[in-house]
Amino acid sequence: MTSVSPFGVAFCGYALFGALLLTGQTPQARSITEGVYSAAQAARGQQLYKTQCAECHGNALEGTVGSPLAGDSFLSDWSARPLINLVDKIQKTMPFNLPANLTRPQSTDLVAYILQAGKFPAGQAELSEAMLARIAFPAAKPSAAPARAGLGNTSLPPPEGNLAELMRAIAFPNSNILFNLQIKDPGAQPKKQTTPATFDYAEWGSTVYPGWLAVDQAAIAITETAPLLLTPGRRCQNGKPVPVDAADWKQFVAALADAGKLAHQASKARNHAAFIDISDKLNDACANCHKVYRDKGGTEGSGATRCQP
Ligand code: HEC
Ligand code: HEC
């Protein structure tokens, strides 16, 4: 069975998230320990933080839904990287649920506040755009564990399958159950069905969990596959590591989880009409990531360039 979404091509022109600047390219003239922002600027940043960030990153920047923005794991994430990367990250990807709505000066003010909250001293001058590439986080001590936000400090078992296998196991069959709603009404399915003559796991399964139950389950599977796409240590078919630390990868994964959650809500409400829009969103979530990480350099099967940004 293949995807039934009619939206595949039409929605592919979507602008992709800008790549973060490579680190280590710029001469790092100063450190954030040298009073690189002003107190007034941090106060402006704090106002924005309270209204737009605290709900996910915590009042003390300790991290809740979002990663911590202070403390050891944050500092080791940003070890030796220039501030321009952090401003870019914020401006292009935050707030997570409404990205790319902050101005450049607002994003810079937020960084000033993050520095202040991290106990880096204020100075006289404001942090300016011109300086951003030249001011860096201190290099984390080699002893510091390479902790990553979220999954890094939990002890997950190592992955069983490569990424393609995982996609075929979860994303593919379950998204097809959801895409199918564009042409079939699960409410119209008879409660009891007879087992089809030829064995077909989707058809047979639908006699056990008919109609909307199958849709509920598929929506949960799509949502729950997202953290598996962030499991450290997984490789792609071509041996390259899954780019779990890349900012755009995380965002593509989050978009997939969002589509799964929407599908689950609509499924619980038995709202068939909502699935036109949801199929579209789900299809985008698959296609946007595939365009960058799977299908670059020619056909889907071209292999070697997969999983590299
Ligand atoms: C709806 C929840 C949400 C809101 C609101 C939100 N964030 Fe985030 N943020 C996240 C999540 C989830 C991540 C981890 C995924 C990622 O890095 O993209 C994250 C990651 C980050 C990171 C990267 C941290 C690291 O160590 O890599 C920064 C910086 C950040 N957010 C800043 C902000 C700022 C500043 C705001 C307010 C303008 C904000 N966020 C609002 C959810 C949120
Ligand atoms: C975060 C990025 C991302 C998202 C989201 C994503 N994929 Fe993938 N997908 C990939 C990458 C990268 C590969 C290539 C994996 C490899 O070669 O090991 C892949 C491979 C696949 C394959 C296997 C192709 C083959 O080589 O046989 C299928 C099927 C697939 N994806 C379906 C889906 C569907 C359906 C969705 C949406 C419900 C989806 N994917 C969402 C990144 C993603």
Side-chain angles (χ1 to χ4, degrees):
M1 191 168 21
T2 51
S3 303
V4 202
S5 174
F7 303 102
V9 179
F11 284 83
C12 280
Y14 203 89
L16 292 168
F17 310 98
L20 293 179
L21 292 185
L22 292 173
T23 54
Q25 278 183 328
T26 39
Q28 292 169 359
R30 294 178 67 189
S31 159
I32 58 170
T33 56
E34 296 168 36
V36 297
Y37 67 93
S38 75
Q41 187 176 27
R44 291 198 304 268
Q46 181 172 21
Q47 283 312 310
L48 285 166
Y49 183 85
K50 274 194 204 150
T51 54
Q52 301 204 42
C53 323
E55 67 170 294
C56 292
H57 290 284
N59 288 330
L61 289 72
E62 74 278 20
T64 52
V65 178
S67 1
L69 302 179
D72 290 347
S73 78
F74 177 72
L75 292 177
S76 80
D77 267 2
W78 292 89
S79 170
R81 297 170 68 182
L83 288 183
I84 193 165
N85 287 12
L86 183 57
V87 174
D88 281 346
K89 164 81 192 173
I90 292 171
Q91 194 188 3
K92 290 174 183 166
T93 72
M94 293 293 139
F96 198 66
N97 46 350
L98 202 70
N101 277 298
L102 293 164
T103 65
R104 191 73 176 170
Q106 285 176 323
S107 307
T108 310
D109 290 352
L110 280 160
V111 166
Y113 174 60
I114 290 171
L115 295 181
Q116 185 187 57
K119 309 262 186 288
F120 296 99
Q124 296 307 310
E126 297 212 340
L127 188 53
S128 68
E129 182 66 34
M131 288 302 292
L132 288 178
R134 296 164 45 81
I135 303 171
F137 279 87
K141 293 173 202 74
S143 64
R148 290 191 321 101
L151 290 167
N153 40 20
T154 64
S155 50
L156 288 169
E160 184 71 18
N162 65 33
L163 184 64
E165 289 168 328
L166 183 69
M167 290 277 161
R168 293 179 211 137
I170 304 179
F172 181 69
N174 289 294
S175 64
N176 281 326
I177 290 174
L178 300 179
F179 289 138
N180 245 322
L181 300 192
Q182 295 173 107
I183 51 170
K184 282 193 180 139
D185 177 359
Q189 189 182 341
K191 291 276 179 269
K192 274 277 170 215
Q193 285 194 323
T194 48
T195 307
T198 47
F199 182 74
D200 171 317
Y201 71 88
E203 296 251 309
W204 169 76
S206 79
T207 66
V208 182
Y209 301 112
W212 280 107
L213 289 179
V215 182
D216 290 343
Q217 290 151 200
I220 289 169
I222 291 293
T223 311
E224 299 266 1
T225 197
L228 299 178
L229 301 180
L230 297 171
T231 306
R234 191 185 307 282
R235 293 191 177 270
C236 295
Q237 246 172 166
N238 60 11
K240 294 209 171 88
V242 176
V244 294
D245 285 315
D248 60 351
W249 180 268
K250 292 186 208 172
Q251 194 136 17
F252 291 140
V253 171
L256 181 67
D258 283 348
K261 283 181 201 155
L262 278 179
H264 193 202
Q265 278 166 18
S267 182
K268 282 189 294 190
R270 305 307 189 226
N271 180 356
H272 186 211
F275 277 89
I276 300 294
D277 189 38
I278 288 168
S279 286
D280 170 8
K281 286 206 170 64
L282 181 60
N283 185 68
D284 279 358
C286 311
N288 286 339
C289 186
H290 287 164
K291 203 162 31 168
V292 178
Y293 284 105
R294 190 186 75 175
D295 301 341
K296 236 180 356 209
T299 62
E300 202 189 281
S302 72
T305 55
R306 280 184 173 192
C307 298
Q308 84 195 10

